[in-house]
Amino acid sequence: MTARTPTLGRVGIWAGDFDALPAPEVRRAAAAIEDLGYGALWIPETSGREAVAQAAILLAGTRRITVAAGTTDVYARDAVTAAAAQRTLDEAFPGRFLLGLWDSHPSLAEDVRGHRFGPPLATMRAYLDALDAAPFGPPGTTASPHRVLAALDPGMLALAAGRAWGATVLGMPVEYTRTARETLGGDRFLAVTQLCVLGDDRAHTAEAARATAAAALPNRRELLRGLGHPAPDASDDRLVAAIVAHGRAEDVAERVRQHLDAGADHVSLHVVTGEPHSPAVRQREPAVRQWELLAAHLLT
């Protein structure tokens, strides 16, 4: 059985804080995202639920939407297990699951999972080799070519161009979408995730946007310098605005259009809610109202 190509549409939702919600509420939120007309639901994997199990729960609770496990940690499961898991979901939900691979972080790989963190590119290349050679999966299924790499640096983007269906880029300015498209070439799928804070009062949304940008900066400083931000800091309003779209729904919708014009095939929206003064700006309940407002400007 050959895996069907996932269909994600132009706009999806990145559910970055589903792990903070109980499972029944997560299922209801997934159904709401689907009913609003979004094409894809993206989930991460850090220290919460196991990504493939959560994807199965979401697929079973919805009817048509593509579920993308956008940052499955390569240290969380060996490549044989990942291949079998992908082929299992491809068999059960044809064309509705997308595997995204992430090279992890030293503290997660070593302190949490007990592995030795290796050079990202070499580690990912070896993982892809093992994924392609994996012998296990449901009878009659074959290895799926539909995988994306979570990629920020040009090296990982180049690897995605040669060894994956495409790439996903999280939390970068529109200028970097152009760079990613140039590196990937025209025949690879490019998904970008846009961080956003919604509200009518831009002074209030700016405060939450600064907190969100500050959390995103450590892994992005060098890349941002290359994009014309010589001293990346969350006190720089221009930099914050480049990373986090904030304000009214129509402002975020315009940013989505800019990413699409710059070469993205798909934009997922990570709507950040919560108290901006907290150590980590975290969502405490599904952002259904914000998803509705965005859908009115992007999906009609």
Side-chain angles (χ1 to χ4, degrees):
M1 182 185 73
T2 302
R4 292 187 195 171
T5 301
T7 302
L8 291 87
R10 301 282 267 176
V11 186
I13 294 295
W14 180 281
D17 290 299
F18 266 13
D19 285 345
L21 306 173
E25 198 164 351
V26 166
R27 285 193 289 267
R28 287 192 292 271
I33 291 167
E34 179 176 69
D35 289 344
L36 286 168
Y38 290 101
L41 168 57
W42 294 76
I43 56 172
E45 180 173 54
T46 50
S47 58
R49 294 186 181 95
E50 194 277 329
V52 181
Q54 173 140 286
I57 292 169
L58 297 172
L59 287 163
T62 52
R63 303 178 306 279
R64 60 154 187 86
I65 198 168
T66 295
V67 174
T71 55
T72 55
D73 190 332
V74 297
Y75 292 92
R77 61 196 63 76
D78 62 62
V80 173
T81 301
Q86 182 180 23
R87 288 162 66 175
T88 297
L89 292 184
D90 282 343
E91 179 194 37
F93 305 97
R96 293 187 56 208
F97 176 66
L98 179 62
L99 178 67
L101 300 172
W102 176 46
D103 57 302
S104 194
H105 188 276
S107 63
L108 280 175
E110 296 183 352
D111 300 337
V112 176
R113 301 193 185 279
H115 299 286
R116 178 176 293 179
F117 185 78
L121 279 175
T123 299
M124 184 63 78
R125 191 175 290 111
Y127 196 89
L128 293 171
D129 290 341
L131 200 66
D132 288 340
F136 298 143
T141 61
T142 59
S144 173
H146 303 124
R147 60 198 181 204
V148 295
L149 305 189
L152 281 179
D153 65 273
M156 195 64 72
L157 284 166
L159 183 61
R163 297 292 305 277
W165 189 50
T168 177
V169 175
L170 172 62
M172 288 294 287
V174 171
E175 291 85 351
Y176 199 69
T177 298
R178 296 190 183 94
T179 297
R181 172 50 69 199
E182 290 172 3
T183 303
L184 281 174
D187 62 344
R188 289 292 182 263
F189 178 79
L190 174 59
V192 302
T193 299
Q194 176 62 57
L195 301 166
C196 51
V197 179
L198 264 66
D200 292 329
D201 183 351
R202 281 188 64 85
H204 178 73
T205 60
E207 188 176 5
R210 278 192 292 272
T212 302
L217 278 176
N219 294 333
R220 294 167 174 79
R221 279 198 168 92
E222 289 304 315
L223 292 171
L224 290 168
R225 288 188 181 99
L227 294 175
H229 301 279
D233 187 270
S235 63
D236 181 345
D237 289 343
R238 184 175 72 91
L239 173 63
V240 170
I243 297 174
V244 184
H246 68 96
R248 300 170 300 170
E250 47 265 47
D251 299 323
V252 176
E254 176 57 28
R255 182 70 60 85
V256 170
R257 285 188 280 271
Q258 290 170 4
H259 279 295
L260 294 172
D261 289 345
D265 297 298
H266 175 88
V267 180
S268 63
L269 299 168
H270 183 177
V271 179
V272 178
T273 63
E275 293 299 324
H277 294 297
S278 63
V281 179
R282 291 184 62 81
Q283 181 173 315
R284 301 305 182 191
E285 60 184 19
V288 177
R289 178 57 182 154
Q290 290 94 328
W291 298 336
E292 290 174 346
L293 290 170
L294 290 164
H297 288 274
L298 287 165
L299 303 176
T300 56

